[in-house]
Amino acid sequence: MRLWRILLIIPFILTSISCEPIRVTTKVEPFQVEPPKQVSDVKKIPSEAIVIFDDSQISRWTHYTAEVIHTVEFPSGNLLRQALPIYFDKMFTKTMYEKSLSSMPSPKSIVIHASVDTVSFSEECCLPLKLTVNAKTKFSIYDSDLIEIALPILSSGSGQLTKPGLFAVVNNKDYGITAYEAILNSVKNSTELIYKAINNPQAQIIEAKQIINQNPSNILAYKVVANLSLKNNDIPEAFAASQMIVQIAPKEADGYFLLYKTYLAQKKYKDAFKNLEQAIAIAPKNALYMMKLFSLYINQEKYEKALKTINNYVESRPDDLYAPVWQAMTLIKMGKCNEAIETLKNHISKLEFSGVGIRIKKPEDDF
């Protein structure tokens, strides 16, 4: 009787095993894509831009069918790196591409953090076989003080590949080329959105306020309102938004930094110092905050405090190879030329020379 029961169960087991879908993973390695010969024009933005991105980023997407569970790993960072210059070089007067900030931005430059949000794909079989890849890229836009001047921008694009024939198959390069087309189109579509965001700050303020009404604890929206209001010289609006950031997130250094900027615009230097020092207390290795405090002391000819600030900075950020130059300049303003010369000599002795010049680059930044 027991044997008979086992014989009855076997067909059900075999059926369940045969229905189990096959799991497949396709890994597309980074590769060089031939750029398009012709690209459409984009609207010009008369600013320099520093575009930060991670070219090692990998995006994964799984496509499910009854027979196959197929996961593809796309080298999205590598493809984004190749797509960005095609349109961004045409949009800005000068564009630099970096994995992380190697120096502080010039006063009127724009910093854009670009990344691939998602890459998805679908396949239709057969006659013809059709591969569709959809990509969504994300852009965060900052001013030279590294504070948001717009809400994050999401831009979509797609790419398609068709192959005739009953036995047509899609190989690794096909997935990569189609993903590149999707990412390239998403970058193209982002240019109009970025142009509008930068050139219509009032619309950004309105949209940010709408988000605040829906979610009163949205720190990013308050940052946009505070920063853009400050640029529009709407001090009360900037002050109110900055205070809200500090109230909601007292450990958020940017809130105190925005208060510093607001007080500085009113020439209330005591309050400006106080809030900038608070921002530094929260983020003691932030190069931007430290150099703002240093510049504030220099402008008010408080050279002893300026020297102390830059000395503290050099001690906490030994990776910043340019900081000793500011030490020397401060010593010169104090009339201590011999100490300035010794500082520069010591600094130069630590540099490595190659070729006909040197390049100073911080391996990591705490911005």
Side-chain angles (χ1 to χ4, degrees):
M1 187 66 178
R2 187 175 297 174
L3 179 61
W4 176 250
R5 287 181 178 178
I6 294 173
L7 292 174
L8 283 175
I9 294 172
I10 288 175
F12 292 102
I13 296 174
L14 293 175
T15 302
S16 63
I17 293 174
S18 63
C19 291
E20 182 70 23
I22 300 171
R23 296 179 181 270
V24 179
T25 299
T26 300
K27 185 175 181 179
V28 182
E29 297 292 340
F31 66 101
Q32 193 68 29
V33 186
E34 184 176 349
K37 295 180 180 179
Q38 292 184 341
V39 295
S40 58
D41 289 331
V42 298
K43 292 182 179 178
K44 306 288 186 180
I45 298 176
S47 301
E48 295 183 2
I50 302 173
V51 183
I52 308 298
F53 62 95
D54 180 6
D55 61 0
S56 65
Q57 181 187 359
I58 301 295
S59 297
R60 296 174 180 84
W61 189 264
T62 301
H63 179 61
Y64 297 89
T65 66
E67 298 82 17
V68 179
I69 299 176
H70 187 190
T71 299
V72 177
E73 296 183 359
F74 298 95
S76 52
N78 169 266
L79 300 176
L80 181 63
R81 175 183 61 79
Q82 298 179 68
L84 284 168
I86 292 173
Y87 288 104
F88 277 39
D89 283 358
K90 295 165 69 71
M91 184 163 55
F92 297 101
T93 56
K94 181 182 178 182
T95 314
M96 295 179 288
Y97 302 91
E98 300 184 354
K99 191 166 185 176
S100 62
L101 281 174
S102 61
S103 61
M104 282 181 286
S106 58
K108 293 186 179 181
S109 61
I110 293 170
V111 178
I112 300 177
H113 181 262
S115 62
V116 176
D117 191 60
T118 56
V119 179
S120 62
F121 74 96
S122 62
E123 295 176 274
E124 298 177 17
C125 182
C126 301
L127 295 176
L129 184 152
K130 184 178 179 180
L131 170 67
T132 301
V133 177
N134 295 306
K136 187 176 290 185
T137 47
K138 182 178 180 180
F139 301 90
S140 299
I141 309 174
Y142 307 84
D143 61 12
S144 58
D145 284 338
L146 304 180
I147 302 292
E148 289 86 349
I149 57 173
L151 296 167
I153 290 172
L154 285 173
S155 176
S156 300
S158 63
Q160 287 189 342
L161 173 72
T162 58
K163 283 190 171 185
L166 182 61
F167 301 104
V169 294
V170 180
N171 59 37
N172 288 31
K173 191 171 184 180
D174 292 332
Y175 287 110
I177 292 292
T178 312
Y180 170 76
E181 182 184 348
I183 292 173
L184 180 64
N185 285 330
S186 72
V187 172
K188 173 188 173 183
N189 295 335
S190 75
T191 58
E192 180 69 21
L193 300 174
I194 293 172
Y195 179 87
K196 289 180 179 178
I198 292 174
N199 287 281
N200 194 349
Q202 194 59 41
Q204 289 293 314
I205 292 176
I206 292 171
E207 188 178 351
K209 286 183 176 180
Q210 290 173 346
I211 292 175
I212 290 170
N213 288 335
Q214 297 170 1
N215 179 10
S217 61
N218 191 305
I219 299 298
L220 175 57
Y222 282 113
K223 285 185 185 181
V224 171
V225 172
N227 202 20
L228 293 182
S229 296
L230 189 59
K231 293 178 187 297
N232 291 339
N233 203 32
D234 188 346
I235 303 301
E237 187 81 85
F239 184 72
S242 300
Q243 280 191 315
M244 285 303 299
I245 297 172
V246 172
Q247 181 179 330
I248 296 170
K251 297 295 185 180
E252 175 62 55
D254 282 348
Y256 297 98
F257 184 68
L258 283 164
L259 281 174
Y260 146 76
K261 292 179 68 175
T262 304
Y263 282 121
L264 191 64
Q266 301 172 80
K267 297 184 179 179
K268 295 181 178 180
Y269 296 110
K270 184 177 180 180
D271 290 322
F273 274 117
K274 178 182 175 181
N275 282 278
L276 183 54
E277 288 170 347
Q278 181 62 35
I280 293 171
I282 295 171
K285 291 187 177 183
N286 188 298
L288 178 68
Y289 296 167
M290 293 289 286
M291 293 309 296
K292 290 289 183 181
L293 183 61
F294 170 74
S295 297
L296 202 55
Y297 282 134
I298 290 292
N299 291 338
Q300 295 202 326
E301 298 183 356
K302 296 181 178 181
Y303 299 128
E304 291 289 345
K305 290 187 175 181
L307 183 61
K308 182 179 179 181
T309 300
I310 198 66
N311 286 346
N312 289 339
Y313 175 69
V314 170
E315 184 178 340
S316 63
R317 290 293 301 270
D319 58 305
D320 188 340
L321 301 182
Y322 192 76
V325 176
W326 295 106
Q327 280 181 307
M329 291 175 63
T330 306
L331 289 167
I332 290 172
K333 286 182 177 292
M334 297 171 68
K336 299 180 178 181
C337 295
N338 290 335
E339 288 186 39
I341 293 171
E342 289 302 315
T343 297
L344 288 175
K345 282 183 178 179
N346 184 52
H347 173 51
I348 292 171
S349 67
K350 296 178 181 178
L351 295 176
E352 294 183 3
F353 292 82
S354 63
V356 295
I358 66 169
R359 177 174 178 178
I360 301 174
K361 184 180 174 96
K362 295 192 288 288
E364 294 180 0
D365 290 281
D366 186 14
F367 287 119

